[in-house]
Amino acid sequence: MAADTTDIDDIREQARRWLADDPDPVSRDELTAVLDRLPTSASDLADRFAGPLTFGTAGLRGPLRAGPNGMNLAVVTQAAAGLVGWLAAQGGTGPLVIGYDARHGSRQFAERTAQVATGAGRPALLLPRPLPTPVLAYAVRQLGAVAGVMVTASHNPPQDNGYKVYLGAELGGELGAGAQIVPPADAGIEAAIRAVGPLTEVPLGRPGDVLGDDLVASYVERATAVIAPDGSRDLTVAYTPLHGVGAAVLTAAFARAGFPVPGVVPEQAEPDPEFPTVSFPNPEEPGAVDLLIALANSTGADLAIANDPDADRCAVVVRDGDTGWRMLRGDEVGALLADHLMRRGVTGLYATTIVSSSLLRAMCAARGLAYDETLTGFKWIVRAGGGSAPLVYGYEEALGYCVAPDHVRDKDGITAALTVAELAAGLKAQGRTLTDRLDELAAEFGVHHTDQLSVRVDDLREIAEAMARIRAATPTTLLGDPVDSTQDLLPEADVVILRTGAARVVIRPSGTEPKLKAYLEVVEPVVDGDVQTARSRAASAVTALRAEVSAALGI
């Protein structure tokens, strides 16, 4: 919507004040060019000043551009100053450790964060190069840091960047040591950020101390301890980091664990912030793993694995027939890893989220293991159970797995890949595959078929309208069965959950992207051991469920 003349004059004045305080000549030039193009650039200018990026439980994330509603050096300087001030106000001691990926601006943002910390008298430790997010999360615990910052936008488009915050044990507590922040810390940090005065008055110190490669070697050594030392290692793996930062650490971990070093997709092996071979750097997106599958075919791989660009997520692709390949759903990998740990005798709390499959709950109930279910996000998963039992495993359907909470208290695509490889190699030694194990689980617990209806929007009001619509006219039946349970999690979370005897639908806005998501699940019993027929029935039911939910949402 075009701004009127009064609005343009007001925003122009805001922009001029911003320019006077912006420490980066590049972004100053960018914003000056936008001002010079007025009035034709009015919509662009209005969007840049629509409001500041909000510091929530995912930290900051947004497009790289000048202005308060973007990721730039000014916004990062303010965020760092607010964070460092909040840490001091809480009485937190110890260094701030800072990691970064290979996106545009990441290193500059990391170094500025270090300067703000040292300028305030707090030691700052920088990871030695662009590295996976799990290495930063590990470093917070390993180095006894008061907090950690990871500069990354994970699997967002190339034009984005972001800023995640982790707390150490002193301020995060036992369950949150090395985990992402949760309320009320996010609100406290946001308030501290808004209280920061002119950026020209933020003291900047030395650039901090750059850590050595011994920290990375320590992460790799601890990662390989996640799997048993005496298992089979006969497994050929094809791998892609999707132009991200995972390749060096993952291949080092596989080699140290005794596996053959995975073959890496050459076109995607090196970090590249443009992500030139994919339309969207997320393994779940169509076409993202095409080059990986081509490599797996040409090398005769047993298994194909992809990390997202910051390597905290792990996608697993398996053979489907003689020549085809299929990416396993996050819920399938989640169940496989949980089952593997259970078979290894790992006892304690197993946890997942409200949008993940109910299969893990069934497995824990049958095997007498503690189970908990949380809101979406690893910041909640690692705090599952409230300390009632030690967390030993957590996962979310969006390809995130935590197989060793005492190593990394967050999702970790490196240790997940190692554990999948351990399982696959053990099955291969028996002449079996991951899909064979999935069939065993289906025969025991029924087919839990999950899928997702995901709609990307240009206007966030469309999401709010759809959520209002489903609340105002909640379906009374799904797939011909009565909806016997409806949960609305407001005000704690913008989530609506519908259940029938055999189906479940969870509807919520995405927390990191302009998407509305509906998570679909149908449970189909296996009769007379006929898993494939049950799978076919479940798939058909989910297709019908998708259409019903789409109609109910009006999208």
Side-chain angles (χ1 to χ4, degrees):
M1 183 170 62
D4 62 29
T5 303
T6 304
D7 290 337
I8 292 175
D9 290 342
D10 181 59
I11 297 170
R12 182 190 282 115
E13 182 56 34
Q14 292 181 54
R16 286 172 176 162
R17 290 196 299 269
W18 182 269
L19 282 169
D21 203 32
D22 190 337
D24 185 1
V26 174
S27 61
R28 289 200 304 269
D29 289 347
E30 177 190 331
L31 188 55
T32 299
V34 175
L35 286 169
D36 290 344
R37 293 196 303 273
L38 285 173
T40 57
S41 62
S43 294
D44 181 16
L45 188 65
D47 192 38
R48 292 168 184 261
F49 285 84
L53 285 183
T54 301
F55 196 96
T57 52
L60 298 171
R61 192 173 294 188
L64 288 157
R65 61 181 181 182
N69 194 21
M71 285 293 295
N72 53 67
L73 195 63
V75 166
V76 166
T77 302
Q78 185 182 35
L83 170 63
V84 169
W86 181 85
L87 293 172
Q90 306 308 305
T93 59
L96 179 68
V97 61
I98 305 156
Y100 57 98
D101 66 10
R103 284 178 178 266
H104 293 299
S106 287
R107 180 168 182 167
Q108 180 191 34
F109 296 161
E111 291 175 343
R112 173 52 62 99
T113 299
Q115 288 181 294
V116 171
T118 58
R122 185 175 297 278
L125 307 174
L126 276 164
L127 296 192
R129 58 182 181 277
L131 284 163
T133 293
V135 177
L136 181 279
Y138 169 77
V140 172
R141 295 170 65 89
Q142 181 70 8
L143 301 176
V146 66
V149 168
M150 182 68 194
V151 183
T152 179
S154 188
H155 56 279
N156 273 39
Q159 63 268 23
D160 287 1
N161 213 326
Y163 199 85
K164 293 182 182 179
V165 174
Y166 295 74
L167 291 180
E170 184 181 8
L171 298 181
E174 181 181 356
L175 299 182
Q180 291 186 56
I181 57 171
V182 295
D186 58 335
I189 295 170
E190 168 73 8
I193 291 170
R194 299 295 152 237
V196 172
L199 300 185
T200 52
E201 297 177 7
V202 174
L204 300 178
R206 54 189 298 275
D209 296 317
V210 178
L211 295 164
D213 280 338
D214 54 331
L215 175 75
V216 184
S218 171
Y219 167 87
V220 169
E221 181 179 3
R222 289 281 302 276
T224 57
V226 167
I227 64 175
D230 55 353
S232 174
R233 298 292 190 264
D234 178 19
L235 193 73
T236 302
V237 176
Y239 169 73
T240 180
L242 282 183
H243 299 294
V245 296
V249 177
L250 182 136
T251 53
F254 269 65
R256 183 175 179 84
F259 286 102
V261 175
V264 182
V265 174
E267 300 93 331
Q268 299 172 336
E270 296 300 320
D272 188 331
E274 291 297 319
F275 305 103
T277 67
V278 293
S279 58
F280 205 95
N282 180 347
E284 294 179 290
E285 293 289 331
V289 296
D290 286 355
L291 291 175
L292 174 65
I293 290 171
L295 176 66
N297 274 325
S298 67
T299 58
D302 302 302
L303 189 68
I305 292 174
N307 285 139
D308 67 339
D310 69 327
D312 61 352
R313 300 171 194 253
C314 177
V316 179
V317 189
V318 298
R319 289 190 178 274
D320 185 19
D322 294 333
T323 58
W325 291 80
R326 178 177 78 86
M327 182 181 291
L328 297 181
R329 298 188 185 281
D331 284 317
E332 291 178 307
V333 178
L336 285 169
L337 289 172
D339 178 69
H340 179 57
L341 294 175
M342 292 173 186
R343 289 171 185 258
R344 277 178 37 189
V346 177
T347 58
L349 177 68
Y350 287 72
T352 189
T353 71
I354 58 173
V355 302
S356 300
S357 170
S358 59
L359 176 56
L360 181 59
R361 176 192 291 273
M363 292 165 60
C364 289
R367 298 171 182 179
L369 293 165
Y371 170 83
D372 196 20
E373 199 171 279
T374 73
L375 293 175
T376 307
F378 263 84
K379 59 184 177 285
W380 301 117
I381 291 173
V382 298
R383 294 171 170 87
S388 59
L391 178 72
V392 293
Y393 174 71
Y395 94 92
E396 62 182 359
E397 52 73 42
L399 309 184
Y401 315 97
C402 177
V403 298
D406 290 338
H407 171 58
V408 170
R409 211 157 184 86
D410 196 11
K411 54 185 175 291
D412 182 348
I414 307 296
T415 52
L418 277 173
T419 311
V420 167
E422 177 186 44
L423 171 58
L427 289 169
K428 181 183 177 183
Q430 302 168 15
R432 301 165 67 237
T433 66
L434 295 178
T435 53
D436 292 332
R437 178 55 53 81
L438 285 171
D439 285 348
E440 287 181 15
L441 290 172
E444 183 176 358
F445 298 104
V447 171
H448 288 64
H449 189 106
T450 59
D451 204 350
Q452 188 182 124
L453 171 63
S454 180
V455 181
R456 183 178 292 272
V457 301
D458 295 323
D459 186 344
L460 291 177
R461 288 176 295 185
E462 296 178 48
I463 293 177
E465 290 166 0
M467 293 301 295
R469 194 175 297 118
I470 200 70
R471 288 185 166 104
T474 305
T476 57
T477 64
L478 292 170
L479 300 176
D481 294 330
V483 174
D484 51 31
S485 171
T486 301
Q487 285 180 273
D488 189 340
L489 301 189
L490 281 178
E492 183 181 11
D494 190 7
V495 178
V496 173
I497 305 173
L498 311 175
R499 291 185 178 89
T500 72
R504 186 193 61 173
V505 177
V506 183
I507 305 165
R508 72 173 185 96
S510 169
T512 57
E513 301 176 87
K515 286 182 177 181
L516 178 65
K517 295 185 174 183
Y519 302 83
L520 316 173
E521 181 178 36
V522 170
V523 181
E524 184 72 37
V526 174
V527 179
D528 297 329
D530 189 351
V531 172
Q532 294 312 311
T533 296
R535 288 196 190 284
S536 179
R537 288 197 303 267
S540 296
V542 166
T543 299
L545 184 61
R546 173 194 294 273
E548 290 187 23
V549 172
S550 179
L553 290 169
I555 54 178

